[in-house]
Amino acid sequence: MTDRLQESSKNALSFACKRNHALCIEEALEHAKRVCERAGERFTDLRKQVFAIVWAEHKPVKAYDLLSELSSIRKGVAPATVYRALDFLKSQGLVHKLESLNAYLGCSQPETEHHGHFLICECCEEVRELAFAPFSQSIDEIEKAQKFQIKHTTIELLGRCIKCQ
Amino acid sequence: MTDRLQESSKNALSFACKRNHALCIEEALEHAKRVCERAGERFTDLRKQVFAIVWAEHKPVKAYDLLSELSSIRKGVAPATVYRALDFLKSQGLVHKLESLNAYLGCSQPETEHHGHFLICECCEEVRELAFAPFSQSIDEIEKAQKFQIKHTTIELLGRCIKCQ
DNA sequence: GATCTAATGTTATGTTATAACATATCTTTA
DNA sequence: TAAAGATATGTTATAACATAACATTAGATC
């Protein structure tokens, strides 16, 4: 077993955020483009700009903040413009909505399967998407036991990160 | 092992909702009153009325729907009136907010420890609070592994209930 | 390049939630 | 029991979040 594997095993529950946000914006845009192509969708200028703004912030972004940032690089921007782009990016899994914050976050794990499970620090507002999916099994159990067919999960854990304790 | 226990074991993942909603409103109000007394808080008329309306619906209630219902039995009702009462009831664990719906639900398990984990049917809009807490262990693991101190969880699973499949 | 479809622009409005300050009610205690 | 302090509610205004509806533009297809 290599060091790398050992480390990854030790950190089975570690966040992907840090590593993935090392991805530069160019790589992220490249990836987003590929995702859209694969889906037969267009990665238009608007979508690209919105994606870039959300991605650039490593914190959740409010729709109206996005709107005002977007306005500085583009004209004719109204709420609908932003919400449509966000809806599209969500549909492609490139952006997540944090329901408990009414805010949007660039997906931190573009290349790997991801689950949309978040840790939100109430203090520094940093949000991390869990790389590991500790809830998957529980979710499977619930589906079987309840005969409830789960289509979307909203899992957001609010608390204090290690730096803020 | 009694039949009752066997049944409860078989249904370890079963919902509490149905059983608990058999609680009549009077019992629920009684319980809410006790909760407030224990906390040294006042269960005022306003709070009682808001609680009763939320409880009466077995579905999630929107704040502004609540507002209009409340207006029919009370005057001088404004949004702040409703939101303040809801905040209070949430703080006592008597009502939950469903973040993904922007709606409020009376707690279905007033007498037992509960976790605020929900199954939401996208079709019939029925919402069930999980009696069982399949996520508790995962949450403990995350806290340890990440040294992230969790204070509040938002766990809402959207899908189709057995009736709507 | 005509036609169709998807995306965006534009205007208006709907929905959800809070701020700020005035008034009323409850509790405590002199 | 009246005064003082604390808590709750009334009231007005506005902030924050999101979508509807229809016009226009840009891309894709033939």
Side-chain angles (χ1 to χ4, degrees), chain B residues 31-46:
Chain B
H31 171 259
K33 194 177 148 197
R34 281 197 302 277
V35 165
C36 294
E37 276 166 3
R38 226 180 294 144
E41 298 286 353
R42 290 160 55 198
F43 195 46
T44 62
D45 275 356
L46 173 63

Side-chain angles (χ1 to χ4, degrees), chain A residues 13-135:
Chain A
L13 282 169
S14 75
F15 297 118
C17 171
K18 283 297 151 89
R19 184 179 68 249
N20 284 293
H21 270 160
L23 266 186
C24 65
I25 183 69
E26 283 78 15
E27 287 174 307
L29 283 168
E30 255 322 299
H31 170 260
K33 194 176 148 197
R34 281 197 302 278
V35 165
C36 293
E37 276 166 3
R38 226 180 294 143
E41 299 285 353
R42 291 161 53 199
F43 195 46
T44 62
D45 275 357
L46 173 63
R47 291 166 178 178
K48 210 173 291 183
Q49 289 167 342
V50 169
F51 179 78
I53 293 170
V54 175
W55 181 267
E57 306 282 343
H58 293 180
K59 292 187 174 183
V61 185
K62 298 275 187 173
Y64 276 71
D65 293 342
L66 217 172
L67 170 58
S68 77
E69 281 213 51
L70 190 60
S71 297
S72 70
I73 56 168
R74 186 185 180 91
K75 57 183 181 170
V77 178
T81 316
V82 169
Y83 282 106
R84 277 191 294 228
L86 286 171
D87 283 348
F88 171 80
L89 294 170
K90 277 190 291 178
S91 76
Q92 302 304 312
L94 295 167
V95 155
H96 298 293
K97 178 174 184 190
L98 295 165
E99 297 289 351
S100 62
L101 301 179
N102 291 323
Y104 302 83
L105 187 69
C107 178
S108 64
Q109 294 148 275
E111 302 291 357
T112 66
E113 199 200 357
H114 55 276
H115 312 277
H117 301 170
F118 303 95
L119 297 189
I120 304 172
C121 180
E122 65 183 356
C123 180
C124 67
E125 293 176 13
E126 189 173 293
V127 177
R128 292 173 160 198
E129 185 173 357
L130 291 173
F132 174 74
F135 299 116

Side-chain angles (χ1 to χ4, degrees), chain B residues 21-76:
Chain B
H21 269 160
L23 267 184
C24 65
I25 184 69
E26 283 78 15
E27 287 173 308
L29 283 169
E30 255 322 299
H31 171 259
K33 194 177 148 197
R34 281 197 302 277
V35 165
C36 294
E37 276 166 3
R38 226 180 294 144
E41 298 286 353
R42 290 160 55 198
F43 195 46
T44 62
D45 275 356
L46 173 63
R47 291 165 177 179
K48 210 173 292 184
Q49 289 166 342
V50 169
F51 178 77
I53 293 170
V54 175
W55 181 268
E57 306 282 342
H58 293 180
K59 293 187 173 183
V61 185
K62 298 276 187 171
Y64 276 72
D65 293 342
L66 217 172
L67 171 58
S68 78
E69 282 214 51
L70 189 61
S71 297
S72 70
I73 56 169
R74 186 185 180 92
K75 58 181 181 172

Side-chain angles (χ1 to χ4, degrees), chain A residues 13 146-147 151 158 165, chain B residues 13 146-147 151 158 165:
Chain A
L13 282 169
Q146 306 294 348
K147 298 191 168 57
K151 299 199 177 172
L158 183 75
Q165 275 163 32
Chain B
L13 283 168
Q146 307 293 350
K147 298 192 168 56
K151 299 200 177 170
L158 183 75
Q165 277 165 29

